[in-house]
Amino acid sequence: MLTVSAQQSTNEVDKDISIIKNFVTSVADEEVRADVILSQHLLLKGELSNDTYDYLEASVQEIRLNLQNRKLEDIQYIPFNKLPRKETKDIDPEGKPTDKMYFLRYKDRQLLAVYIEADKIASFTLVSKGNNMAHFVTY
């Protein structure tokens, strides 16, 4: 029974990482427009203001810049609970399940933080909201 639970957990992590890799591949492809990436990969809950949508498109472009000249196959996908405590102590998950939070690293440099919900990207960056804590913001 324990093996089954561990296996399901591993399958869930593999599924989440596959979702994130598809997102990263789309972002890295300069032929794919930011609005297409948002509609295909991002979990949006309701209507977004123009400012919020512009912010998300700009965020995709920033990630795209960070991915330039990097080998996508060298990106590490690290679950929240596999990171050292010192790297997560300034993150407030706000009640969201940390087993759905991942950090992308390239050569020991953090590229991106991602939160998965309903098999889509619910948040793809950390935002500081005071008290020196970072938060996964969903839209």
Side-chain angles (χ1 to χ4, degrees):
M1 180 94 156
L2 182 61
T3 311
V4 172
S5 297
Q7 187 62 40
Q8 286 174 331
S9 178
T10 300
N11 288 342
E12 197 66 29
V13 168
D14 289 346
K15 180 180 172 185
D16 289 347
I17 289 174
S18 177
I19 291 166
I20 299 166
K21 283 183 176 181
N22 288 336
F23 171 71
V24 168
T25 300
S26 291
V27 172
D29 183 349
E30 293 187 30
E31 299 294 315
V32 181
R33 293 189 337 256
D35 62 324
V36 172
I37 292 167
L38 293 175
S39 68
Q40 288 181 348
H41 298 282
L42 201 66
L43 179 65
L44 302 174
K45 298 176 180 178
E47 289 294 313
L48 298 180
S49 71
N50 287 339
D51 287 346
T52 301
Y53 199 82
D54 290 347
Y55 167 78
L56 290 172
E57 282 190 330
S59 296
V60 166
Q61 295 299 347
E62 185 176 329
I63 295 166
R64 183 170 275 162
L65 284 173
N66 287 334
L67 291 172
Q68 283 182 346
N69 304 318
R70 298 206 181 5
K71 294 181 186 172
L72 298 187
E73 61 272 10
D74 290 344
I75 295 174
Q76 295 175 292
Y77 298 82
I78 305 165
F80 182 93
N81 59 6
K82 299 282 188 208
L83 289 171
R85 171 81 179 113
K86 66 181 173 87
E87 293 186 36
T88 61
K89 70 179 186 315
D90 61 347
I91 298 170
D92 180 357
E94 296 184 35
K96 296 176 181 86
T98 56
D99 62 340
K100 293 298 205 174
M101 296 176 181
Y102 298 85
F103 292 80
L104 282 60
R105 285 200 175 147
Y106 186 84
K107 296 187 177 180
D108 291 328
R109 181 175 171 266
Q110 184 172 315
L111 288 175
L112 187 62
V114 176
Y115 170 64
I116 302 287
E117 187 178 309
D119 294 335
K120 288 209 168 209
I121 306 290
S123 179
F124 59 91
T125 189
L126 290 172
V127 177
S128 180
K129 293 199 314 191
N131 297 332
N132 296 321
M133 294 294 285
H135 305 262
F136 284 90
V137 176
T138 54
Y139 303 97

